[in-house]
Amino acid sequence: MLGAARRSGCVLGQLTQALRPAAAGAARSYSSAAKEMNVREALNSALDEEMAADPSVFLMGEEVGEYQGAYKITKGLLDKYGPDRVLDTPITEAGFTGIGVGAAYQGLRPVVEFMTFNFSMQAIDHIINSAAKSNYMSAGQISVPIVFRGPNGAAAGVGAQHSQCYAAWYAHVPGLKVLTPYSAEDARGLLKAAIRDPDPVVFLENELLYGESFPIAAEVLDSSFTVPIGKAKIEREGKDVTITAFSKMVGYALQAAEILSKEGISAEVINLRSIRPLDRAAINASVRKTNRLVTVEEGFPQHGVGAEICMSVMEDSFEYLDAPVERIAGADVPTPYAANLERLAFPQVDDIVRAAKRACYRATSMAATA
């Protein structure tokens, strides 16, 4: 045990020396909620606690150290853990991602930050061909305990090359786990679970949620708290229609459910949390209760997360459906830069409300038909 720790320390020291010369500054169902925490604080606290608990955990990426992180997720960690464990890298995703995967081969637990997941395209060979496939290709002899994290999907006014959702891309790949937190509880619990996991995890955050605060229960603040990978959460119970969503779209789905309730439609909102593995059991159990389904995602519609959910329900719960499944997704176009067009390119609360009404055969409000 001690020898393994020393060996890990030696490997990490060599990694640091290799990088340093080139580095550049380049209703919610919360129980006993005692305080509020924003998503940024939740992610930061999860990283801090896991680094304190396990010396093999280290961070690397552009501006994660001296600049405290492009989005301040890693604030204070360089001062606390030093440059051997918080590594500023050059602007070369292919390079530092490959180094991270190699470090994971040697028993370390790297957390690799992409300034945006759009930049992970530069490193996708290492993520898929090296990280995701090595355990299988080595007959289980090689584990790759690595987390790839950063903001995913649209922010605001950053154009087509910085606005894409990669949930469906990475969820397509056997060997990867793909997580999509919504709340502070999700962010904290899922990131801690991801760091402890023996397999590579793609951790898709949302930039627009970083500053959003959520009620957080006392048990979530315990250092041992984790959210199980592969388990969805029912954010709001209902009986008339199921709405599945992940990341920022969970908030939109909850807003839509509140509007629907005023028109006599009881919507159940499922926060997927995990895209791969997908909690098919929770989705199908809800659909068997409500008999209707609306899927919501920011990504492109073709071959998307909603399509996979729809197929799962068709395979396991088709006889329970009382209406066709409704799919809400981003427009099938590169994201426009103009603010008015950008808004039209992504799902809005009204889109979810209309889809739920169609599923319930209530295209017009009860007041309009009275």
Side-chain angles (χ1 to χ4, degrees), residues 98 101 105 124-135 137 144 200:
V101 173
Y105 284 169
I124 199 167
D125 181 59
H126 290 302
I127 297 170
I128 292 176
N129 283 326
S130 299
K133 297 178 182 178
S134 290
N135 185 262
M137 293 179 70
V144 192

Side-chain angles (χ1 to χ4, degrees), residues 16-35:
T16 305
Q17 290 302 316
L19 275 174
R20 191 174 287 142
R28 289 176 193 149
S29 54
Y30 298 100
S31 60
S32 62
K35 60 173 289 186

Side-chain angles (χ1 to χ4, degrees), residues 14-46:
Q14 292 171 357
L15 172 62
T16 305
Q17 290 302 316
L19 275 174
R20 191 174 287 142
R28 289 176 193 149
S29 54
Y30 298 100
S31 60
S32 62
K35 60 173 289 186
E36 287 203 344
M37 175 181 280
N38 68 37
V39 171
R40 179 181 289 106
E41 294 166 339
L43 294 168
N44 178 270
S45 67

Side-chain angles (χ1 to χ4, degrees), residues 112-125:
V112 175
E113 176 179 310
F114 296 118
M115 197 175 290
T116 162
F117 254 91
N118 298 274
F119 299 159
S120 73
M121 292 293 92
Q122 305 296 322
I124 199 167
D125 181 59

Side-chain angles (χ1 to χ4, degrees), residues 175-252:
L176 289 179
K177 294 174 181 175
V178 182
L179 307 181
T180 54
Y182 161 61
S183 65
E185 177 184 316
D186 292 352
R188 181 172 159 81
L190 285 172
L191 184 54
K192 289 169 78 70
I195 293 170
R196 298 178 191 185
D197 200 88
D199 298 312
V201 178
V202 172
F203 197 86
L204 303 174
E205 302 155 12
N206 186 281
E207 178 185 341
L208 298 179
L209 288 176
Y210 284 150
E212 189 164 335
S213 294
F214 294 85
I216 196 161
E219 57 264 29
V220 177
L221 299 176
D222 189 280
S223 61
S224 64
F225 174 80
T226 60
V227 169
I229 292 175
K231 294 296 183 183
K233 178 182 180 182
I234 297 177
E235 295 282 353
R236 178 179 177 133
E237 293 190 356
K239 59 183 179 62
D240 295 328
V241 60
T242 298
I243 304 175
T244 64
F246 60 92
S247 190
K248 187 177 72 173
M249 290 294 107
V250 176
Y252 284 26

Side-chain angles (χ1 to χ4, degrees), residues 321-337:
L321 288 172
D322 286 343
V325 175
E326 293 277 350
R327 177 176 59 174
I328 304 296
D332 199 20
V333 297
T335 302
Y337 174 74

